[in-house]
Amino acid sequence: MAITGIGTQRKSLEKLLQEELTERREKLARKLKTARKEAKVTQLVAGFIVGKDQPFISRVEKTGEIDAITLCRLAALYDKPLAYFITEIDYPYKDRPLSDWEHRAKFGRWPRVYTGNKRIKRGRRWVDYETHIALES
């Protein structure tokens, strides 16, 4: 029986975020290549205008790894708004409130969600969750 702890959950979250980053970079790479072709500019000319070389532009169009300044320069060269290259932020669990994220960071798991039929221990006795909430307020 394997024991899973905070480290295991954190690694799985890091893996999920890394996969998302890779996907975003691939989208950016495709958009950069499409924009360059629409502007009818070669990689050599694009590299010269933004102060880089042709292999750099080729690498960026394959990997999507680019610094912000160069991205701004390429956007201006291709006559596209910067927002064209930046995809909408969509990450797992985006609907969770910040308090849930803080709980996960601290304890390594999502907070429990209670429904009306759950019972919790209050002192030495068990009470319905709704009763517990009423007593707290």
Side-chain angles (χ1 to χ4, degrees):
M1 178 168 91
I3 299 174
T4 59
I6 294 174
T8 307
Q9 292 174 355
R10 188 167 288 148
K11 285 179 185 176
S12 64
L13 183 61
E14 287 173 1
K15 183 178 178 184
L16 185 69
L17 293 174
Q18 186 62 38
E19 289 172 0
E20 180 189 356
L21 180 63
T22 303
E23 182 182 319
R24 285 179 187 275
R25 285 184 174 159
E26 289 171 357
K27 285 181 185 178
L28 176 62
R30 285 192 302 270
K31 285 186 175 188
L32 283 165
K33 188 172 188 174
T34 303
R36 181 182 58 78
K37 287 185 176 184
E38 286 175 0
K40 295 183 172 92
V41 177
T42 64
Q43 290 180 343
L44 185 65
V45 171
F48 180 77
I49 291 173
V50 298
K52 305 288 183 180
D53 53 359
Q54 182 271 331
F56 175 83
I57 301 296
S58 177
R59 187 171 54 250
V60 164
E61 289 181 356
K62 286 180 185 172
T63 64
E65 294 180 17
I66 187 171
D67 61 288
I69 301 296
T70 308
L71 180 60
C72 291
R73 289 177 181 167
L74 286 174
L77 173 64
Y78 301 153
D79 197 29
K80 298 276 186 189
L82 191 58
Y84 172 81
F85 298 103
I86 301 172
T87 58
E88 177 186 331
I89 295 177
D90 184 28
Y91 56 91
Y93 313 115
K94 68 178 180 182
D95 297 329
R96 293 243 185 205
L98 182 60
S99 59
D100 283 5
W101 283 98
E102 290 169 349
H103 186 280
R104 183 173 174 94
K106 185 174 182 181
F107 298 109
R109 61 177 170 77
W110 294 112
R112 293 188 177 93
V113 178
Y114 296 105
T115 59
N117 60 355
K118 297 282 184 179
R119 296 178 59 82
I120 61 172
K121 196 164 188 174
R122 183 176 171 87
R124 292 185 174 189
R125 60 193 176 108
W126 291 90
V127 296
D128 290 332
Y129 182 71
E130 292 174 349
T131 308
H132 169 71
I133 294 298
L135 293 173
E136 290 290 318
S137 55

